[in-house]
């Protein structure tokens, strides 16, 4: 059983597609085992995206991620990391496949509605970044 972190980003919350994202994950046989709404500080957003800190888009990405509330969640299931990435679609919605969340709802390569961990190490870091042991309801 694998776990991954997903986030409905500020643009997705503003567009009222939280339920749609949850439905797609659950509809793919994945299970939501932690969920909340939160608004990040700059420091928290910078820490979450620390791997990207040398990238030219970093400060704009941080501005975007603190621009409104987000909905982080932990998703559990067999092959959850890849399944969530497949449901999300490519980073740039222009490149995303038909029927993916980003193709259907994203406006730009930055405002692309959802986050999903890209590997087991990042999933472990990211799930713990947002949720304590007492907020995770795994393996039900
Ligand atoms: N991003 C951006 N410009 C880029 C690449 C990425 O603004 O050229 C943003 C976008 O919101 C993306 C996030 O930075 O989701 C993290 O980038 P990554 O390459 O990890 O894409 P992801 O894993 O989210 O598909
Ligand atoms: Mg990534």
């Amino acid at each position: 059983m694998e776990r991954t972190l997903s986030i409905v980003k500020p643009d997705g919350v503003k567009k009222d597609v939280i339920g749609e994202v949850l439905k797609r994950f659950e509809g793919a046989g994945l299970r939501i085992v932690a969920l909340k709404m939160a608004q990040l500080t700059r420091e928290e957003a910078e820490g979450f995206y620390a791997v990207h800190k040398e990238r030219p888009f970093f400060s704009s990405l941080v501005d975007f991620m603190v621009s409104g509330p987000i909905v982080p969640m932990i998703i559990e299931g067999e092959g959850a990391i890849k399944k969530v990435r497949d449901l999300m679609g490519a980073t740039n919605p222009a490149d995303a496949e038909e029927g993916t969340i980003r193709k259907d709802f994203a406006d730009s390569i930055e405002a692309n509605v959802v986050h999903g961990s890209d590997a087991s190490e990042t999933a472990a870091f990211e799930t713990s970044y947002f949720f304590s042991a007492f907020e995770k309801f795994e393996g039900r």
Side-chain angles (χ1 to χ4, degrees):
M1 213 36 105
E2 196 170 65
R3 288 176 201 112
T4 188
L5 185 88
S6 182
I7 303 174
V8 181
K9 296 183 180 182
D11 58 328
V13 173
K14 285 185 184 125
K15 287 182 172 179
D16 300 306
V17 297
I18 300 166
E20 182 65 36
V21 172
L22 299 181
K23 188 173 138 188
R24 290 184 185 208
F25 292 157
E26 290 188 331
L30 297 164
R31 184 169 266 170
I32 294 150
V33 298
L35 179 74
K36 63 184 161 193
M37 188 175 277
Q39 183 148 5
L40 296 178
T41 64
R42 272 202 89 74
E43 293 65 33
E44 287 164 344
E46 286 168 0
F48 180 70
Y49 277 124
V51 290
H52 292 311
K53 68 173 182 289
E54 306 303 334
R55 297 292 212 57
F57 59 81
F58 181 70
S59 91
S60 177
L61 172 61
V62 170
D63 289 342
F64 165 60
M65 288 301 289
V66 303
S67 68
I70 61 172
V71 177
M73 69 193 87
I74 301 176
I75 306 296
E76 179 182 78
E78 223 170 275
I81 295 171
K82 182 172 189 303
K83 278 186 186 161
V84 165
R85 299 281 308 183
D86 288 347
L87 291 163
M88 286 163 49
T91 308
N92 187 346
D95 302 330
E97 283 186 44
E98 290 298 329
T100 60
I101 294 166
R102 284 166 165 171
K103 179 72 176 185
D104 290 346
F105 303 114
D107 289 330
S108 69
I109 192 168
E110 178 177 85
N112 60 7
V113 178
V114 275
H115 169 83
S117 309
D118 62 4
S120 55
E121 303 72 40
T122 44
F125 167 74
E126 292 178 357
T127 54
S128 303
Y129 198 80
F130 281 100
F131 295 96
S132 76
F134 306 105
E135 298 172 309
K136 299 175 189 168
F137 300 87
E138 297 165 338
R140 68 176 179 271

